[in-house]
Amino acid sequence: IFSEIESEIQKKGIIPVRMSIMKPRFNLNPFLGKRDFLKTCLLIEYHYNMKGCADLANVIPIGVGVEGSALKSKRIRIGDLRNLFKNGYASWGYSSMDLQIMKDLKSKISVPIKDFANEDRIIGILNIDTACNLDKTPFKQEGFRNFLISEAEAIAALTK
């Protein structure tokens, strides 16, 4: 699936590109004896073109970053990473360590991977990021986003 996506992106002239599938992890709340959705985080489970990258071990809290925002909203999120600091604050809620790691990236798209049995349940996030400016990527094109949604559905089918 990663190579299909890379091929589609390369047709648009975007090289290089990194991809990952992040899976949500829930913390068990010992006081309630159940999963605490507020303490959900995302961890990279599968990756492509990321060998040796410092962010492979990143733990992204729900709602933080492009990927955490996609998990929380259950919608595709697109991030322009060129201006990660606005008015002295980090945009997207990234930590200063995350910002340092991502300093060479300029754009990212995060696509929720939905459970077939329950479309409200997100089982993962497909991330694609690149050093190309957002306006040079196909990330905002509806046809490309639809292609990524179909790829996310294929990923969901593989994880059944």
Side-chain angles (χ1 to χ4, degrees):
I1 289 177
F2 283 142
S3 59
E4 288 176 21
I5 296 169
E6 181 179 50
S7 175
E8 191 66 26
I9 292 172
Q10 285 178 346
K11 288 178 191 175
K12 313 283 186 191
I14 305 302
I15 301 171
V17 57
R18 305 177 335 148
M19 290 177 265
S20 66
I21 296 173
M22 299 184 89
K23 296 279 191 120
R25 297 290 178 251
F26 300 91
N27 291 334
L28 190 63
N29 186 325
F31 300 107
L32 301 176
K34 61 182 180 180
R35 289 183 187 187
D36 186 351
F37 191 68
L38 295 175
K39 296 194 183 212
T40 300
C41 61
L42 285 164
L43 300 172
I44 293 176
E45 193 151 316
Y46 305 100
H47 59 87
Y48 186 80
N49 285 345
M50 292 183 70
K51 186 176 181 179
C53 292
D55 54 347
L56 277 174
N58 275 14
V59 176
I60 304 292
I62 187 171
V64 171
V66 181
E67 53 277 86
S69 177
L71 176 66
K72 186 175 181 179
S73 69
K74 301 178 184 178
R75 299 176 58 149
I76 291 177
R77 289 292 183 233
I78 300 168
D80 184 341
L81 306 179
R82 289 177 299 173
N83 299 310
L84 283 172
F85 281 102
K86 292 182 181 170
N87 301 324
Y89 295 97
S91 62
W92 294 100
Y94 285 115
S95 72
S96 58
M97 186 173 78
D98 293 331
L99 295 174
Q100 182 60 33
I101 290 170
M102 298 184 331
K103 69 181 184 285
D104 296 326
L105 299 175
K106 294 183 181 167
S107 57
K108 176 181 268 193
I109 186 168
S110 296
V111 181
I113 303 168
K114 298 179 179 182
D115 186 341
F116 275 118
N118 178 359
E119 290 236 344
D120 262 359
R121 184 172 171 258
I122 305 301
I123 59 174
I125 300 292
L126 170 63
N127 288 305
I128 302 168
D129 56 38
T130 180
C132 292
N133 289 341
L134 183 59
D135 58 349
K136 303 286 187 205
T137 72
F139 295 172
K140 290 185 175 183
Q141 297 170 7
E142 185 177 353
F144 183 73
R145 289 194 316 267
N146 289 337
F147 166 74
L148 290 180
I149 290 168
S150 68
E151 294 297 303
E153 289 170 353
I155 293 167
L158 290 172
T159 60
K160 275 182 154 182

